[in-house]
Amino acid sequence: MAALILTTLFISCGVDKNLKRGEKYLALGEYYDAATEYKAAYSKTPAKEREKRGQIARKMALCYDKINSTQKAIAAYRNVIRYKQDDVDTHLAFARQLMKNGNYKEAASEYQLVIDSVPDLQIARDGLSGALSAPKLKEAGSRYTVKKMDVFNSRRADYSPMLFGEEHDQLYFTSTRNEAEGDELSGITGTKNGDIFFSQKDDKGKWSKPQRVDGGLNSAYDEGACCFNADQREMYITQCSSDPSYPRYAKILKASRSDAAWGKPTEVALTRDTLSSFAHPAISPDGEWLYFTSDMPGGEGGLDIWRVRITSSGLGGVENVGAPINTPGDEEFPTFRPNGDLYFSSNGHPGMGGLDIFIAIIDDFGQYQLEHPGYPLNSQGDDFGMTFEGPHNRGYFCSNRGDGRGWDHIFSFEKPEIIQTVKGWVYEMDGYELTAAQVYMVGNDGTNEKLSVRSDGSFEQVLTPGVDYVFLATCRGYLNHKEELHVVQTSDSEEHVLQFPLASITVPVMIDNIFYDYDKATLRPESTQALDELVTLLNENPNVTIELSAHCDYHGSQAYNIGLAQRRAESVVEYLVQHGIANDRLTPKGYGKEKPKVVRKKVAAQYNWLKEGDVLTEEFIKNLDADKQAICDQLNRRTEFIVLRTTYGMFDQDGNLKNPPKPKQKESNDLNDGFDIEF
């Protein structure tokens, strides 16, 4: 009898130690370690102590719930109910886990139990609605296709993908795989703390093996859920630091990119609140707002989506995005499609189980309308973390569907749709891309947008069928260039490609494809296209005067060459005048060999035996092989122009501006240099 008492006391003491450690871990948010202790305590507690086993099972269920161990959570909730330690919250949480397991019929019964007890509990009514509609959603399907991306995934959790690069050829994501920094396992998940990894796509479309991001970005702490600003020079990430005696609070950090490497991140001070979590950053397409997830007071309940304005002087005040996006449940992982649609995940709206992806679209009245994209983008598991490949409705997301351990994995998605885009290239005539250029897009549907140019001189924008567009490319030190585009309805997606070669106002501009009869000044018919383009350029820049020059090589007498070049320049001027260009805007000038061509980057790239800055003088050419001499002679025989004035016709005889600028109404209507676009 004494031995039995001692054994009972020993077991009781062991249970108490497990419970004490479990409470400590739970208070710190270390759910995996807490679940381990509660499980040990549960197994040591005699079956006859029903109340105590039920209470421990309740703690176990909570922990398994938090770490997405759905099967174990369901078993624990069943024990809570079995030992009659359940309440409304138990059945509500149990119903959610049943939904995540695809047990929709049983989940509906549990939600109904909650509603019978608390008829006005909206979150239960929404849950019941989801349980009843989920089987129909799965059966109906959608136009989305999804595919698990084994190249990105490991035997641990991989989540929150984010495409990077102007060609969307890099993928950043969070992973708890063995290659993550540090040796310790997280008390929250039982795996390593998450680090940011990335994969690169090659020219053949093959993704590389993911590598941990070097530099100061990753640490021994938990990093994840990153996003980038518009110029992709700044990364926002979520970090959860460790403290052995303090609960875990997620915070948002920002890192800068320099020389193709990410620096050490610094905390973004959103508020003075030090007791709330801030996570899952997302930048709006216009770059004016930072969206994030938080449990700070003042929301709709649970985790909510908030936002803060980004200004040149820092961040403004935070605001809750409110209904219909936020609910008493959890709303997390905001992200944007480039067209402005907000994607987020929620377990508070009726869905298929776990976190479902929802789309918030702004209607004509400026209000958000929610859309559930259906199955298979959504599933019975957690679905979240969208990233888009430019304007297309394809990209990557993550889900823990079908994973018994609750670990997240990266999937691709695509929804075929008819989309028309324009891709333009802005570059210097006879030169390379102009990254400082600005492009204005105006449509007869009221569109009036300013488009930024990427580092390769390109821009991309979605178009609306049936609209007539005008695009104006401008850059300081260059003449404007305009292109028009009429977009018709098509049955397939289409990309319209436009070229914007800008003429410099400081250096001579080569006019390609101007041809004359041999040893004459007569323009050949194949010169018409280039001449018409020059007419267009001068019409688009009506305040410009130019010197139109023709050049010869060094062969022949100087006097003869100058005379021939002069007549050729005059032929071009005559053509321009005949096509509406005022004669006093044009100065024809013929040159012999006295102005040899200066090699620029584009020509040097074409002929690797020339380098930028070479001057094609007679002496330089005669030191070359015969074939190369012929090429240089051809380069010297050219027609070009240089801008003389940019104020033609702007002033009256008294020196006053004829058309003084009107006060600006909106910045978006400022089309630079007084350029007016009409349809």
Side-chain angles (χ1 to χ4, degrees):
M1 184 70 178
L4 179 60
I5 294 173
L6 287 173
T7 302
T8 303
L9 289 173
F10 179 77
I11 293 174
S12 176
C13 182
V15 170
D16 290 341
K17 285 183 178 180
N18 291 129
L19 290 175
K20 187 174 181 179
R21 286 195 293 263
E23 292 298 315
K24 175 185 174 182
Y25 291 136
L26 182 60
L28 293 173
E30 297 179 347
Y31 302 111
Y32 180 87
D33 287 348
T36 301
E37 296 295 335
Y38 288 131
K39 181 180 178 181
Y42 183 86
S43 64
K44 294 175 183 178
T45 302
K48 64 181 181 179
E49 296 185 28
R50 299 177 61 84
E51 181 178 345
K52 189 171 185 177
R53 282 174 69 89
Q55 291 172 350
I56 297 173
R58 186 183 181 113
K59 296 289 184 68
M60 288 171 58
L62 171 63
C63 294
Y64 288 136
D65 196 324
K66 291 290 188 180
I67 62 175
N68 291 324
S69 190
T70 301
Q71 297 284 1
K72 292 181 179 180
I74 289 174
Y77 281 124
R78 291 194 192 280
N79 283 330
V80 176
I81 297 170
R82 171 188 173 192
Y83 290 122
K84 302 187 184 303
Q85 298 301 306
D86 54 311
D87 57 16
V88 168
D89 290 336
T90 302
H91 290 275
L92 190 60
F94 183 35
R96 286 177 169 173
Q97 291 301 309
L98 291 169
M99 289 286 290
K100 291 186 71 171
N101 204 45
N103 299 358
Y104 295 128
K105 186 175 181 180
E106 188 177 359
S109 298
E110 291 296 321
Y111 280 125
Q112 189 61 58
L113 281 174
V114 175
I115 294 171
D116 291 343
S117 299
V118 188
D120 296 330
L121 191 59
Q122 188 61 43
I123 196 167
R125 291 188 171 277
D126 289 339
L128 177 60
S129 174
L132 296 175
S133 63
K136 300 174 184 177
L137 286 172
K138 188 169 184 178
E139 183 179 356
S142 70
R143 297 180 65 218
Y144 281 95
T145 57
V146 303
K147 178 184 178 183
K148 192 174 182 180
M149 297 297 293
D150 292 335
V151 66
F152 302 133
N153 294 313
S154 67
R155 295 183 179 180
R156 297 293 185 268
D158 304 282
Y159 57 97
S160 291
M162 187 59 60
L163 285 165
F164 179 82
E166 293 171 350
E167 299 300 323
H168 318 294
D169 56 358
Q170 296 180 51
L171 188 77
Y172 285 75
F173 62 93
T174 307
S175 180
T176 61
R177 63 188 64 196
N178 291 334
E179 292 82 2
E181 192 167 320
D183 297 321
E184 295 184 4
L185 299 182
S186 168
I188 303 174
T189 62
T191 65
K192 281 192 172 185
N193 284 329
D195 274 348
I196 306 294
F197 285 71
F198 82 100
S199 176
Q200 176 86 42
K201 186 193 291 185
D202 63 21
D203 294 338
K204 297 180 180 179
K206 183 179 179 181
W207 289 98
S208 67
K209 180 181 178 181
Q211 301 290 327
R212 185 164 54 96
V213 177
D214 293 328
L217 189 67
N218 289 313
S219 71
Y221 297 142
D222 220 350
E223 285 90 20
C226 68
C227 76
F228 306 97
N229 69 343
D231 63 13
Q232 301 195 327
R233 294 178 182 175
E234 293 180 337
M235 175 194 291
Y236 291 80
I237 64 171
T238 304
Q239 185 186 82
C240 188
S241 57
S242 301
D243 189 322
S245 60
Y246 200 72
R248 308 295 180 86
Y249 293 106
K251 55 189 177 183
I252 293 175
L253 282 69
K254 181 172 68 173
S256 298
R257 185 176 175 88
S258 177
D259 297 328
W262 293 102
K264 186 176 181 179
T266 57
E267 185 173 354
V268 178
L270 296 170
T271 72
R272 295 182 179 179
D273 184 346
T274 60
L275 298 178
S276 299
S277 290
F278 304 93
H280 312 159
I283 304 294
S284 61
D286 58 14
E288 294 186 0
W289 294 94
L290 170 62
Y291 283 67
F292 59 94
T293 300
S294 179
D295 58 357
M296 75 175 81
E300 301 291 329
L303 294 172
D304 272 9
I305 294 175
W306 300 69
R307 69 177 187 174
V308 59
R309 186 179 289 278
I310 303 172
T311 70
S312 57
S313 58
L315 299 178
V318 299
E319 59 183 59
N320 190 287
V321 300
I325 291 175
N326 289 322
T327 70
D330 293 331
E331 281 70 46
E332 309 176 64
F333 298 97
T335 190
F336 284 91
R337 193 175 170 188
N339 66 359
D341 293 346
L342 171 63
Y343 287 68
F344 67 96
S345 293
S346 171
N347 61 18
H349 294 284
M352 297 186 66
L355 291 170
D356 268 26
I357 294 169
F358 290 85
I359 311 171
I361 303 172
I362 297 180
D363 62 20
D364 294 338
F365 302 99
Q367 302 297 315
Y368 277 119
Q369 300 297 325
L370 298 189
E371 176 184 319
H372 186 281
Y375 179 84
L377 187 65
N378 284 312
S379 69
Q380 64 198 41
D382 292 321
D383 305 291
F384 60 99
M386 305 282 286
T387 185
F388 294 89
E389 187 182 326
H392 307 286
N393 201 351
R394 63 175 182 257
Y396 303 93
F397 74 110
C398 49
S399 176
N400 56 25
R401 63 185 70 183
D403 191 294
R405 296 158 298 184
W407 288 344
D408 304 306
H409 303 289
I410 296 174
F411 292 73
S412 67
F413 74 90
E414 181 171 10
K415 181 183 180 183
E417 60 181 358
I418 299 173
I419 182 172
Q420 295 204 56
T421 60
V422 59
K423 187 164 189 178
W425 304 85
V426 187
Y427 55 93
E428 180 183 5
M429 280 187 177
D430 200 26
Y432 281 84
E433 62 275 356
L434 291 172
T435 58
Q438 191 78 60
V439 177
Y440 298 87
M441 181 178 82
V442 178
N444 61 358
D445 64 340
T447 299
N448 193 336
E449 297 190 33
K450 186 188 294 184
L451 310 179
S452 297
V453 173
R454 302 168 178 166
S455 61
D456 63 351
S458 71
F459 66 89
E460 190 172 13
Q461 187 70 15
V462 176
L463 303 173
T464 302
V467 176
D468 293 328
Y469 292 97
V470 172
F471 297 86
L472 175 70
T474 70
C475 187
R476 185 178 296 277
Y478 295 86
L479 300 183
N480 297 334
H481 183 89
K482 183 179 71 171
E483 290 287 340
E484 299 183 10
L485 183 64
H486 175 65
V487 183
V488 298
Q489 187 72 52
T490 61
S491 56
D492 296 304
S493 295
E494 184 176 358
E495 181 180 76
H496 304 270
V497 178
L498 299 177
Q499 304 287 340
F500 294 85
L502 303 191
S504 173
I505 63 175
T506 59
V507 298
V509 178
M510 177 82 169
I511 310 173
D512 289 323
N513 301 319
I514 298 290
F515 304 101
Y516 308 91
D517 287 340
Y518 177 72
D519 207 25
K520 294 181 181 179
T522 307
L523 288 165
R524 295 173 61 179
E526 53 264 43
S527 304
T528 300
Q529 180 177 349
L531 291 169
D532 289 343
E533 290 175 357
L534 182 55
V535 170
T536 300
L537 176 67
L538 291 169
N539 283 329
E540 291 174 354
N541 298 271
N543 303 121
V544 166
T545 65
I546 64 170
E547 176 189 280
L548 195 294
S549 58
H551 299 257
C552 294
D553 55 35
Y554 66 86
H555 300 286
S557 71
Q558 176 73 342
Y560 180 83
N561 284 343
I562 290 176
L564 176 61
Q566 182 66 31
R567 293 193 301 275
R568 286 179 170 178
E570 290 171 353
S571 294
V572 175
V573 166
E574 182 180 354
Y575 184 95
L576 299 177
V577 171
Q578 289 175 352
H579 287 77
I581 306 301
N583 188 68
D584 58 350
R585 295 180 60 195
L586 309 168
T587 302
K589 181 67 176 178
Y591 293 96
K593 64 177 183 179
E594 66 268 27
K595 284 198 174 185
K597 182 173 180 63
V598 178
V599 175
R600 303 187 68 193
K601 276 199 297 187
K602 194 172 183 180
V603 174
Q606 185 177 1
Y607 304 104
N608 58 15
W609 44 272
L610 291 174
K611 61 180 182 295
E612 188 178 4
D614 283 346
V615 182
L616 304 185
T617 62
E618 180 178 354
E619 180 182 4
F620 178 91
I621 295 173
K622 285 182 175 179
N623 287 322
L624 302 173
D625 297 337
D627 291 343
K628 294 177 180 177
Q629 288 186 26
I631 292 173
C632 289
D633 287 339
Q634 184 179 5
L635 292 172
N636 270 331
R637 296 190 298 268
R638 67 198 189 275
T639 302
E640 60 188 20
F641 71 86
I642 188 169
V643 175
L644 300 177
R645 292 171 53 205
T646 59
T647 58
Y648 174 84
M650 292 178 62
F651 301 93
D652 60 23
Q653 60 184 5
D654 296 323
N656 299 316
L657 276 173
K658 291 182 179 179
N659 299 300
K662 298 178 181 179
K664 292 182 180 180
Q665 299 298 317
K666 293 181 180 179
E667 183 181 352
S668 60
N669 290 329
D670 176 17
L671 290 182
N672 202 13
D673 299 331
F675 195 97
D676 294 322
I677 294 180
E678 297 179 353
F679 293 98

